[in-house]
Amino acid sequence: RTPFPPPPPTSPLISRGRLHFAPPGLVMAAQVVGHIHGLHRDFANAQAHSKWLEHFQQSPEAWSVLHELLVGSQEEVVVYFAAHTLVTKLQAGHFPNSVANFGQEVMRYLVQFWGGPPAVRRQLVVALVDSALWRPVSEDAQWLTESVRQLSERAEGVPCLLELFTAIPEECVNRKVLVDFQRRLSFASSMLQHNSLVLDTLWKASQTNAACAVAALHSCARWMRLQHASPALRAQKRASGSGGGVYTSELVRNGVAHDNPLVQQAAQQIGNIGVASIELCRGCADLLSEMLLLSNETHPQARALHLLVVQAVVAGGRQLVPPLQANGDTWLQPDSELVARASVLGRLVGELGGTFARLVLAEGAAQTQEMSGHFNDLCEVALVFCSLRHTDLAKCGLDFWYSVLALHSDGIGAQEEDPFDEDASTPVLLRGAVDGWQARCAEGEKLRKATERPFLVPYIQKMVKAHCRAVRYPAEPEREEHFEWDEFVRFRELCSVNITEACVVVGPSWIIEHIGTLLEDICSRQPFAWQDMDACVFMLTGVASRAAAGQDAVIPKLIELLPSLPYPTEGFKALLLRCAASRLVLFTSGYLALNQEPCKRILQFLTLHHLPAIPSLQQAPDPDAKKYCEAIACDALKMVMTAARKGIVAAEDGKLWKEVVTAVIALVADPRYNVDCRAQLVFGIGQVLSVLENWNELEQMLGIFCSRMQEPVNRILDTLPAEPLGSRASKTTRDGKAPLELKLYVAALSSVYNIPNRCEAERPDHHPVLAVVERHYATIEKVCIHHTQYEDLMEQVCLAFSYILGFAREYVPDSPIFVPMMKLMARCCEQHPQPFYMGLVRGVVGFFAPAGSDELDTVLVDLTGLFIAPVARRLATSSAAETSLTPQIHAAAYEMLAETIRHWNLALLAFRSAQWLPETLSDTIEVLPRLAEENQAVHEKTIGSMLRFLRNVLLWGSSETSKNDPAPELKDLQMMAQALMAEKQIPRGIALPRLLRALTWLLAAAAPNGASKGEVVPGAAEVIRALFTGPFEYQVSSQFPAVLRELPQPLGGLFNEVEQQRLVQQLKMEKADIRRFVRTIITVVEQFAVVLKKTQFSG
């Protein structure tokens, strides 16, 4: 329903005193114009106007109105809407019934708008093509020739003609045109049969004027893209036997592409890019780019075309490179004309990489002096672009070399998606490439690369040297007007990718040796060029992943130099060189872990000099730069401490680790560092302490660490009220997060969590981490009860407790804080409920249920009841939306309950003596279908966890569960489960009949939401199967038909009595196969959904 209803078939108008009725088309046209004006002027009701116009576009009456608007209106916005509506209808295959050949009608409209507006003209040309796509294939040739004839008759039609040659390739692949795939291909193939006509027409059109020359180049480029629809070309791409997608277009094979005057003109203009029109050059680059994609072979015809482009780019480079290099290390002005021209040339440079590599490898050892000159010239242009002080231009050079390396890597190179592939998600070229790659054995690949490598090595070595220059920062970054740090960082990462891949060709050892040579020169020069040192470090980190650790002399020498480098103390450069040092340490942590002396020096450098110097450095123009510097330095220290933890503990008879940990504790306690960085260092401390053999030393140092982190916490606790505010407490911090001192204190307590297990003979009488936590428990308790409103802190506390209890589980039962700790969490949950409290209890149950201790079992069962009973009670006495608890809490509570009942010892104790269990079971059965009725999507996880709990109860009542174990406890468990479900009086009555009714109503409530979606229906089916497979089979079988009849109409009458009995028998037969049983239940629910939908529409 739209806010502006359409008019009646006729409307009264007054003319010369008479009342008469206007044609409906004119009245509707006036309304459309009014809404178009409203869309652009009445901003308050723009959405309503838009909806009305959308409704109009879909109506059959739109055809007559479109004619009135296109013929009678002079307003651009009105006629554009009409033309666009025309396109929308034709793309969907909607044609007016009154016009036999609508294409001719569109041509008449087009003639009217030859002079523009261009946007309207463009839409009408698209409509002309779309109308042809719906016509029979036999009419394609006549349509094209007739359209070209009509549009070529007058000079005013040339812009329309060029638009036509642009629109045909685009609409062939436009998925909005709802023709089938075969029709797209047949139409494209029909168009390609007239290549000569189109190319000749384009050349003639380009001679009309400058604007037509540019448009002709772009149109020709689109037409060259259409060549990929050729059946012959597509067959070549698909042929895995030909090397995985090796292909050449017929235009290239017969020399038409190379000799085409437009292509020759484009190459000439690119070669003269320094003075030619920039718009003309863009069109030329567009055309030459498409020409390169017409073949990936190197036979004479393809080579002639490719060399034409190469020579044009080299000639253009000779004009642009000198003024580009004249700036030296000064960054280029982004919006200058020189940069605009270089961008056009750079596009072609970036796309020539694969072609360059193919030509070089095809020539091989037989390379002539002429070809060598072409290759060297193009290589030099690409190298210059790499080093330009303009990230977008330099990326063009990177793209060139990446394509070269990609071709060597897989033998094929990067391939574009085939727009004429029926399955757009899987590119044809890519499939051919994969097929070709799979067809080549590993030995063949190895031989191919070994054969190609000598011909690529000289060029890749030059590439590496150019990349060394490209990654250099400006000497004074703040003074470079056009330097953008974040853009340059991303550019350097692309350089790193190329350097890493270059290792395959030249080997990591050559790159490292070259950097070593540069380092010697840098260290010998004064003043110290920090940006050159930074570039060397960056290059080494790109090679590190491919180089064997410790197999060269350069990286160890640089690591030795790091502590003594003259680090700048002011400006952006101070941060950048510190980042470089951290990055090198980060990437060489594996080497440091194997070499004790360098590791010791680097640890001392990081803890005593490097990290302490960062907070005092000035803030950079980019505020993230200092944060990054601090973060990467802390990450480097953490990685070294983690990788070398065993060596650190063993070094100097245990002296080194104490010095390192003490220094890092001081860093963690320093409030000048970001809290996330301090947390990284806490992790490093924990990793070192975790490998200590002497638990007394571990306990002592961990106690020192925690006590140090407790000092700022005590100052916070001293300001708190004597009594906690409980649920009345609110957040007082500006960001709504807990004070970072509290979070770091909790992190320190749980920092040591992966201590190796001890054998029974060497087992100490207490756990060191648990002992430290026991001494700090009073502080922990005060922190928790006064800060329950901070979810981030309490979730961290729960996670910390989970780590501590899990890794010290052998000692926990004897700990005096275990039970108080769990009661503390229950108290916190009561004040500000959150799902992670239940998650903690669930984890604790999983840790300690297998221990089999009666005392511990009692604690776990009571703990479960402490959390689940209030949740179940609230759900049963009010709607889920009114409980003030979130669905996440409901789901977590029942997941905890299901985990408890999963363990036989806890289930036995709960069935025998837990006073909370009967009421919780009753509440669960009561609320189960209601949750699905309220909002199944919101409560799906809660329903699923409830069903798992009920299924576990039923499974313990089945003899099948314990048939292979004669233990008397399992027999008792079976009898108690049966009594709980079928005999014991629980609130609201016996559980079994109520459960069967609740499950049936749950299936009915879930029907509108999709039976096979989610876990509700499959989960309910598993519970019903447990009813049919256990001791309750007879009762359930006899009661199930009656329960089905109790469903509200029309569901209650869906099955007659015979069908109900047949369903019961089918379920009994399929109970042994869970998949078939679940499928049957899903089928029943799908029948429910069909009946409900029919009722909805009929009602």
Side-chain angles (χ1 to χ4, degrees):
R1 184 176 299 173
T2 61
F4 305 105
T10 57
S11 300
L13 295 174
I14 297 178
S15 177
R16 296 183 182 178
R18 291 184 179 181
L19 182 67
H20 68 92
F21 286 87
L26 291 176
V27 176
M28 178 71 85
Q31 280 200 323
V32 170
V33 172
H35 284 294
I36 294 173
H37 290 163
L39 186 64
H40 293 84
R41 302 170 187 172
D42 183 14
F43 300 114
N45 298 306
Q47 187 174 5
H49 290 295
S50 177
K51 288 183 178 180
W52 192 96
L53 291 170
E54 288 176 7
H55 175 77
F56 160 77
Q57 286 180 318
Q58 298 167 8
S59 65
E61 297 84 5
W63 287 114
S64 59
V65 177
L66 294 180
H67 177 77
E68 296 293 340
L69 296 179
L70 287 170
V71 172
S73 178
Q74 300 298 320
E75 250 187 294
E76 180 175 354
V77 66
V78 173
V79 291
Y80 178 83
F81 171 80
H84 178 69
T85 303
L86 192 65
V87 170
T88 303
K89 283 186 165 295
L90 292 175
Q91 287 178 340
H94 299 158
F95 287 81
N97 297 326
S98 58
V99 182
N101 188 349
F102 192 68
Q104 289 302 318
E105 187 73 13
V106 175
M107 181 63 78
R108 283 191 284 272
Y109 294 145
L110 191 55
V111 170
Q112 181 180 345
F113 290 96
W114 270 358
V120 178
R121 184 177 65 206
R122 169 68 177 170
Q123 290 294 311
L124 291 174
V125 170
V126 171
L128 181 66
V129 178
D130 291 341
S131 67
L133 274 164
W134 289 99
R135 297 172 68 175
V137 64
S138 58
E139 300 180 13
D140 289 346
Q142 181 183 356
W143 171 84
L144 179 63
T145 54
E146 184 64 20
S147 298
V148 172
R149 184 190 64 78
Q150 293 185 46
L151 296 176
S152 303
E153 288 178 344
R154 296 172 56 185
E156 295 89 338
V158 172
C160 294
L161 184 65
L162 297 176
E163 290 278 11
L164 177 68
F165 292 144
T166 301
I168 288 173
E170 291 177 351
E171 292 305 287
C172 279
V173 297
N174 186 355
R175 302 282 170 168
K176 292 181 180 179
V177 185
L178 302 181
V179 296
D180 59 42
F181 168 68
Q182 291 301 328
R183 177 55 183 141
R184 293 178 192 278
L185 276 182
S186 64
F187 183 77
S189 299
S190 299
M191 298 298 103
L192 292 178
Q193 292 174 12
H194 298 81
N195 273 335
S196 298
L197 169 67
V198 173
L199 295 178
D200 290 344
T201 305
L202 285 171
W203 169 245
K204 293 176 183 177
S206 69
Q207 307 303 305
T208 307
N209 54 50
C212 289
V214 174
L217 289 165
H218 289 296
S219 298
C220 190
R222 299 299 178 274
W223 196 263
M224 292 305 167
R225 185 173 299 177
L226 186 64
Q227 305 303 310
H228 296 275
S230 165
L233 191 63
R234 298 181 76 248
Q236 293 177 55
K237 292 178 180 180
R238 291 176 180 273
S240 59
S242 63
V246 175
Y247 65 90
T248 297
S249 167
E250 191 64 28
L251 287 179
V252 176
R253 197 175 296 279
N254 59 25
V256 171
H258 175 270
D259 297 334
N260 182 271
L262 261 182
V263 175
Q264 292 286 339
Q265 183 187 50
Q268 182 181 357
Q269 293 297 330
I270 290 296
N272 200 30
I273 195 170
V275 295
S277 162
I278 185 67
E279 289 301 323
L280 188 63
C281 289
R282 288 194 177 102
C284 295
D286 201 10
L287 176 56
L288 295 181
S289 173
E290 292 296 335
M291 300 306 296
L292 289 173
L293 295 176
L294 292 182
S295 176
N296 62 358
E297 295 186 87
T298 56
H299 51 69
Q301 295 88 344
R303 185 187 294 112
L305 176 63
H306 293 157
L307 285 177
L308 177 68
V309 182
V310 169
Q311 291 167 351
V313 169
V314 170
R318 290 195 180 105
Q319 292 190 10
L320 294 185
V321 164
L324 287 170
Q325 289 183 320
N327 284 326
D329 279 343
T330 303
W331 285 71
L332 296 167
Q333 184 178 345
D335 53 355
S336 65
E337 182 183 346
L338 177 61
V339 168
R341 294 181 181 278
S343 298
V344 175
L345 187 67
R347 171 192 174 182
L348 291 173
V349 170
E351 294 171 356
L352 273 171
T355 302
F356 169 81
R358 290 188 192 96
L359 291 173
V360 168
L361 296 176
E363 292 292 319
Q367 191 176 114
T368 64
Q369 186 174 359
E370 180 184 5
M371 292 300 294
S372 177
H374 292 320
F375 297 154
N376 289 330
D377 290 342
L378 181 59
C379 174
E380 289 302 319
V381 173
L383 294 173
V384 168
F385 266 87
C386 281
S387 305
L388 289 178
R389 308 312 268 168
H390 185 286
T391 51
D392 289 337
L393 293 180
K395 285 176 185 177
C396 297
L398 300 192
D399 290 342
F400 177 93
W401 293 110
Y402 181 81
S403 297
V404 173
L405 295 167
L407 186 79
H408 175 69
S409 177
D410 59 20
I412 300 155
Q415 301 287 349
E416 290 191 352
E417 178 181 322
D418 184 357
F420 299 97
D421 185 15
E422 184 173 14
D423 181 8
S425 63
T426 308
V428 170
L429 273 65
L430 183 57
R431 287 205 300 269
V434 173
D435 291 341
W437 178 81
Q438 290 175 342
R440 293 192 292 267
C441 64
E443 285 298 321
E445 278 293 280
K446 187 175 181 180
L447 179 61
R448 177 187 66 80
K449 291 182 179 180
T451 305
E452 293 177 354
R453 195 171 293 120
F455 306 114
L456 294 177
V457 163
Y459 300 108
I460 301 303
Q461 288 179 345
K462 292 179 181 179
M463 181 210 85
V464 172
K465 295 176 182 179
H467 279 53
C468 289
R469 296 190 297 273
V471 299
R472 294 165 61 251
Y473 278 105
E476 299 291 340
E478 299 95 330
R479 299 178 186 175
E480 283 292 339
E481 181 182 358
H482 306 297
F483 173 73
E484 295 184 9
W485 175 71
D486 53 345
E487 284 290 328
F488 190 63
V489 167
R490 286 190 284 269
F491 168 77
R492 279 163 53 110
E493 294 302 326
L494 295 176
C495 291
S496 181
V497 172
N498 280 2
I499 292 300
T500 303
E501 293 303 317
C503 294
V504 178
V505 179
V506 298
S509 58
W510 183 89
I511 299 177
I512 293 174
E513 289 174 6
H514 172 68
I515 295 172
T517 304
L518 295 178
L519 284 171
E520 290 179 2
D521 178 62
I522 293 167
C523 294
S524 64
R525 283 190 279 116
Q526 291 296 332
F528 175 68
W530 71 269
Q531 68 273 26
D532 293 342
M533 177 61 72
D534 168 86
C536 290
V537 171
F538 182 84
M539 294 288 287
L540 283 176
T541 57
V543 185
S545 60
R546 296 290 178 94
Q551 299 300 309
D552 63 273
V554 177
I555 293 178
K557 179 65 176 176
L558 185 54
I559 290 175
E560 183 181 346
L561 283 173
L562 275 187
S564 58
L565 290 178
Y567 292 93
T569 58
E570 296 180 351
F572 199 0
K573 57 189 177 184
L575 292 173
L576 294 175
L577 189 56
R578 291 284 177 184
C579 286
S582 302
R583 185 183 176 102
L584 181 65
V585 173
L586 186 64
F587 275 79
T588 57
S589 57
Y591 164 77
L592 294 172
L594 301 174
N595 295 270
Q596 196 173 98
E597 278 304 313
C599 181
K600 174 185 174 181
R601 288 195 297 270
I602 288 298
L603 283 171
Q604 291 173 341
F605 166 65
L606 292 175
T607 56
L608 302 179
H609 304 284
H610 185 60
L611 268 163
I614 292 176
S616 60
L617 296 178
Q618 298 173 356
Q619 187 64 267
D622 189 325
D624 292 333
K626 189 171 183 179
K627 293 179 182 178
Y628 176 75
C629 181
E630 184 181 314
I632 195 173
C634 291
D635 198 23
L637 179 54
K638 180 200 74 173
M639 286 299 296
V640 174
M641 294 177 72
T642 302
R645 58 187 182 274
K646 292 184 179 179
I648 293 172
V649 167
E652 298 183 355
D653 296 326
K655 181 182 177 182
L656 178 62
W657 76 263
K658 294 178 183 177
E659 295 175 352
V660 170
V661 170
T662 301
V664 178
I665 289 175
L667 294 172
V668 175
D670 191 335
R672 295 178 300 170
Y673 295 101
N674 182 273
V675 63
D676 294 327
C677 297
R678 296 162 74 184
Q680 295 277 12
L681 299 180
V682 170
F683 179 87
I685 292 173
Q687 290 296 299
V688 173
L689 296 183
S690 67
V691 295
L692 286 173
E693 291 290 334
N694 188 331
W695 277 15
N696 291 328
E697 289 186 335
L698 192 162
E699 181 180 342
Q700 180 183 6
M701 184 57 77
L702 181 61
I704 293 172
F705 181 29
C706 293
S707 297
R708 180 71 181 274
M709 302 312 298
Q710 185 184 356
E711 293 173 4
V713 171
N714 288 337
R715 291 192 288 271
I716 294 175
L717 298 181
D718 290 341
T719 63
L720 297 174
E723 292 296 325
L725 299 177
S727 59
R728 295 178 291 113
S730 60
K731 299 174 182 177
T732 58
T733 55
R734 184 169 54 185
D735 59 357
K737 295 182 179 180
L740 57 89
E741 293 84 0
L742 304 181
K743 299 176 74 172
L744 288 171
Y745 176 57
V746 174
L749 289 165
S750 58
S751 59
V752 183
Y753 57 83
N754 55 345
I755 304 175
N757 292 326
R758 298 292 182 92
C759 63
E760 191 65 29
E762 300 177 354
R763 181 184 174 193
D765 59 349
H766 68 280
H767 194 277
V769 177
L770 203 55
V772 173
V773 174
E774 288 169 1
R775 290 200 296 271
H776 285 260
Y777 183 73
T779 304
I780 297 171
E781 182 179 30
K782 194 171 183 181
V783 166
C784 290
I785 62 176
H786 283 276
H787 297 88
T788 56
Q789 69 271 29
Y790 293 105
E791 298 88 354
D792 57 327
L793 174 65
M794 298 314 300
E795 185 172 12
Q796 183 185 354
V797 170
C798 288
L799 190 62
F801 284 173
S802 178
Y803 283 161
I804 294 166
L805 298 176
F807 284 99
R809 67 186 67 182
E810 296 177 356
Y811 299 86
V812 167
D814 300 326
S815 174
I817 66 167
F818 174 51
V819 174
M821 182 186 291
M822 294 296 101
K823 289 183 178 179
L824 172 63
M825 293 295 97
R827 179 181 176 185
C828 294
C829 184
E830 183 179 6
Q831 294 177 3
H832 289 90
Q834 290 293 336
F836 44 75
Y837 293 109
M838 289 77 167
L840 171 62
V841 176
R842 181 186 176 194
V844 168
V845 169
F847 291 151
F848 300 110
S853 165
D854 292 342
E855 184 179 353
L856 198 54
D857 289 349
T858 302
V859 171
L860 296 178
V861 170
D862 291 345
L863 189 61
T864 302
L866 195 62
F867 280 88
I868 189 60
V871 174
R873 194 178 303 118
R874 287 194 194 184
L875 280 173
T877 55
S878 59
S879 70
E882 297 171 349
T883 63
S884 75
L885 300 178
T886 64
Q888 290 79 9
I889 293 176
H890 300 152
Y894 273 96
E895 288 288 357
M896 172 196 65
L897 176 60
E899 174 66 17
T900 299
I901 301 302
R902 188 176 68 86
H903 298 276
W904 73 267
N905 50 329
L906 303 186
L908 177 61
L909 181 60
F911 294 163
R912 177 182 293 160
S913 59
Q915 297 181 1
W916 54 266
L917 183 59
E919 182 183 358
T920 299
L921 176 62
S922 177
D923 292 340
T924 303
I925 295 172
E926 183 71 17
V927 78
L928 192 58
R930 177 156 55 82
L931 289 179
E933 292 172 2
E934 288 182 9
N935 194 327
Q936 179 179 321
V938 170
H939 301 296
E940 182 174 358
K941 292 188 180 297
T942 303
I943 296 171
S945 54
M946 286 179 168
L947 292 171
R948 282 188 284 276
F949 156 61
L950 294 169
R951 181 171 175 269
N952 288 344
V953 174
L954 293 171
L955 289 177
W956 288 128
S958 173
S959 58
E960 290 294 315
T961 305
S962 58
K963 65 179 181 180
N964 295 324
D965 193 335
E969 293 88 353
L970 293 180
K971 188 67 176 177
D972 292 345
L973 176 59
Q974 178 184 334
M975 299 303 295
M976 288 182 182
Q978 293 177 12
L980 178 65
M981 292 301 302
E983 301 171 12
K984 189 172 183 178
Q985 282 290 341
I986 64 174
R988 304 184 187 87
I990 301 295
L992 185 62
R994 292 175 52 217
L995 174 60
L996 184 60
R997 187 178 301 108
L999 290 170
T1000 310
W1001 281 68
L1002 174 63
L1003 295 177
N1009 301 301
S1012 58
K1013 295 179 181 178
E1015 57 179 311
V1016 173
V1017 175
E1022 292 187 15
V1023 178
I1024 295 173
R1025 178 173 175 269
L1027 289 170
F1028 273 93
T1029 55
F1032 314 114
E1033 180 183 357
Y1034 176 76
Q1035 293 170 267
V1036 172
S1037 301
S1038 59
Q1039 295 175 13
F1040 196 45
V1043 172
L1044 286 173
R1045 290 192 294 272
E1046 291 175 5
L1047 288 172
Q1049 294 301 328
L1051 300 183
L1054 177 61
F1055 302 109
N1056 59 37
E1057 188 173 346
V1058 174
E1059 290 171 332
Q1060 292 168 0
Q1061 293 299 330
R1062 187 183 299 123
L1063 175 60
V1064 170
Q1065 292 303 317
Q1066 183 178 354
L1067 293 175
K1068 291 169 70 174
M1069 287 188 297
E1070 293 178 347
K1071 64 183 181 182
D1073 188 338
I1074 186 171
R1075 294 179 64 183
R1076 294 183 62 183
F1077 191 95
V1078 172
R1079 182 65 251 176
T1080 298
I1081 296 295
I1082 289 176
T1083 303
V1084 171
V1085 178
E1086 288 173 344
Q1087 291 178 274
F1088 286 171
V1090 171
V1091 172
L1092 290 173
K1093 199 166 188 178
K1094 287 181 178 178
T1095 305
Q1096 176 186 356
F1097 283 110
S1098 63

